[in-house]
Amino acid sequence: MAEERRRFSIGYALAPKKQQSFIRESLINLARERLIDLIKIDTDKPLIDQGPFDCILHKLYGDDWKLQLVDYKAKNPNVVILDAPEAIERLHNRISMLQVVSELKIAQNDRETFGIPKQIVIYDAETLRDHRSWDGLKFPVIAKPLVADGSAKSHKMSLVYNHGGLGNLKPPIVLQEFINHGGVIFKVYVVGEYVKCVKRKSLPDVLEDKLESLGGLVAFSQVSNLANNEMTDEKYYQMMHLDDCEMPPQEFITDIARGLREVMKLNLFNFDVIRDTRLGNRYLVIDINYFPGYAKMPSYESVMTDFFWNVVAKKERREVVENEDNEDKKLVDKFGIEGVCQ
């Protein structure tokens, strides 16, 4: 009789909206076929009383949740936490978020280069009014909340055309120089070693000679949403054919993705990239998000299930090695002979 293969359990702790979009029946069923059971963690009960889990998948914040994860890991050292809270927190600040790009050890060539737009952080209204403190930036600028914690407030951004639009902003904010990029943004999804780049409509280019004649600012929630905003020029998007837009080289994007993964020590994230139309081969990372809307990614169920399987299979191999090492140690202690199990 064939030995029954062991099943793996992955506990997930997600906010209701994220759970609804990500934990779909199609994902649950495909994971189940691969011997992986996705189990909802009851956040009203202590984590330590639930499980046991081979892996914990989460996107919750707060000191209490962090302490629960630490306690669970201490009592279950082989559990895999996706991902470490301290690594995720770096993405909650829009300055430290993009500083990771400068830490990448990737050789750049003449064909494609990358970086980030010029940006500064404004902590108070007085500094916002004092134009001398940020003379290095040119209009237009994107104003983003400094905190990027996934809340609705953190998504409220503005495209500011001139000084007249600054009065409605509320610090602390980040002012990021807007770069014309042909109305296209590239969203790069990372799931472990898997990297997928897709293109979306974005903010239309802004002509410099029209800055003063435009309104002070336009508010929006996400860069890709402004394409549908009533204040944008619909003709711009009718003339622009997204399908004709050339994708960045896959190898180039993959190198950046793997570099970010290594520096941030995260497995689940996406980053937004634009192509500077002034240079053509210059790409700028403008945002990085933890555990994004993967359900928007083509075939997300199979991608996530393959990733889950790699995580739990690697965990099992590590446990086997540890058990073998422990058995060897016991025999050495008993007989004084090394390698008896080899």
Side-chain angles (χ1 to χ4, degrees):
M1 183 176 179
E3 181 182 352
E4 185 176 351
R5 294 177 63 189
R6 136 166 154 75
R7 301 191 67 84
F8 297 94
S9 61
I10 296 181
Y12 61 88
L14 306 170
K17 188 176 180 180
K18 171 64 70 174
Q19 180 180 311
Q20 184 178 9
S21 65
F22 182 76
I23 305 294
R24 297 181 178 178
E25 200 68 29
S26 53
L27 176 64
I28 293 173
N29 291 337
L30 188 58
R32 188 179 293 138
E33 291 175 12
R34 298 285 296 274
L35 305 178
I36 298 171
D37 297 317
L38 297 177
I39 301 169
K40 181 181 177 181
I41 291 174
D42 188 342
T43 54
D44 293 328
K45 297 178 181 178
L47 177 60
I48 197 64
D49 295 336
Q50 303 180 63
F53 302 116
D54 294 288
C55 173
I56 293 177
L57 178 73
H58 74 104
K59 192 179 182 181
L60 296 180
Y61 308 121
D63 292 337
D64 177 67
W65 175 247
K66 284 170 58 178
L67 289 173
Q68 289 199 61
L69 285 175
V70 170
D71 185 42
Y72 196 93
K73 180 72 173 178
K75 294 180 173 63
N76 302 273
N78 287 325
V79 70
V80 178
I81 307 292
L82 294 172
D83 277 303
E86 57 270 20
I88 298 171
E89 285 173 359
R90 186 170 187 177
L91 298 186
H92 290 175
N93 179 297
R94 283 199 163 91
I95 294 297
S96 63
M97 171 197 294
L98 293 188
Q99 283 175 343
V100 300
V101 178
S102 65
E103 299 174 26
L104 302 188
K105 308 298 183 186
I106 301 174
Q108 301 204 41
N109 54 51
D110 294 335
R111 295 190 304 277
E112 295 91 22
T113 63
F114 68 90
I116 64 173
K118 290 181 181 178
Q119 59 179 22
I120 60 168
V121 60
I122 304 291
Y123 290 103
D124 54 67
E126 183 179 350
T127 307
L128 185 62
R129 290 191 296 268
D130 183 6
H131 303 160
R132 295 170 300 176
S133 62
W134 45 280
D135 269 346
L137 284 185
K138 291 175 56 180
F139 283 104
V141 296
I142 301 256
K144 305 179 179 183
L146 177 61
V147 176
D149 58 2
S151 64
K153 182 180 179 181
S154 71
H155 286 300
K156 290 184 177 180
M157 296 178 271
S158 301
L159 176 59
V160 185
Y161 295 116
N162 47 55
H163 287 103
L166 297 174
N168 295 323
L169 302 178
K170 295 182 179 180
I173 56 173
V174 172
L175 297 181
Q176 186 180 89
E177 196 168 295
F178 176 78
I179 305 296
N180 283 337
H181 52 283
V184 178
I185 189 170
F186 303 101
K187 303 188 80 67
V188 184
Y189 294 92
V190 181
V191 183
E193 292 289 337
Y194 179 86
V195 178
K196 178 67 176 180
C197 181
V198 299
K199 50 190 172 183
R200 298 280 187 267
K201 291 181 180 179
S202 178
L203 309 179
D205 290 348
V206 179
L207 298 178
E208 191 171 346
D209 58 3
K210 289 188 175 182
L211 287 177
E212 291 303 323
S213 63
L214 291 167
L217 60 77
V218 176
F220 58 97
S221 61
Q222 291 181 0
V223 170
S224 54
N225 285 355
L226 197 58
N228 301 317
N229 190 291
E230 61 182 12
M231 298 182 70
T232 60
D233 185 357
E234 188 61 31
K235 291 181 180 178
Y236 181 91
Y237 294 101
Q238 292 174 356
M239 292 170 61
M240 184 192 78
H241 299 288
L242 190 64
D243 292 341
D244 296 338
C245 175
E246 183 181 356
M247 295 287 283
Q250 181 64 34
E251 184 179 358
F252 172 69
I253 288 296
T254 299
D255 284 345
I256 296 175
R258 287 176 177 168
L260 289 173
R261 182 180 175 222
E262 183 178 334
V263 170
M264 297 190 299
K265 295 179 170 54
L266 293 174
N267 291 283
L268 301 170
F269 63 94
N270 80 342
F271 58 100
D272 295 341
V273 179
I274 58 174
R275 181 192 287 120
D276 188 339
T277 55
R278 297 171 300 183
L279 301 174
N281 65 341
R282 176 73 171 168
Y283 293 87
L284 302 170
V285 179
I286 60 171
D287 207 4
I288 307 174
N289 303 287
Y290 180 68
F291 205 147
Y294 283 119
K296 299 175 184 176
M297 185 177 67
S299 305
Y300 96 100
E301 297 95 338
S302 59
V303 172
M304 296 305 305
T305 301
D306 286 344
F307 171 68
F308 292 152
W309 175 254
N310 288 336
V311 168
V312 294
K314 183 178 179 180
K315 171 184 175 292
E316 186 179 39
R317 289 194 297 271
R318 185 172 63 247
E319 290 174 354
V320 169
V321 171
E322 289 174 354
N323 289 336
E324 289 177 349
D325 289 344
N326 288 335
E327 289 301 316
D328 277 354
K329 186 176 184 303
K330 290 177 183 177
L331 290 168
V332 170
D333 291 342
K334 184 174 182 179
F335 300 109
I337 304 172
E338 294 190 16
V340 290
C341 291
Q342 297 177 2

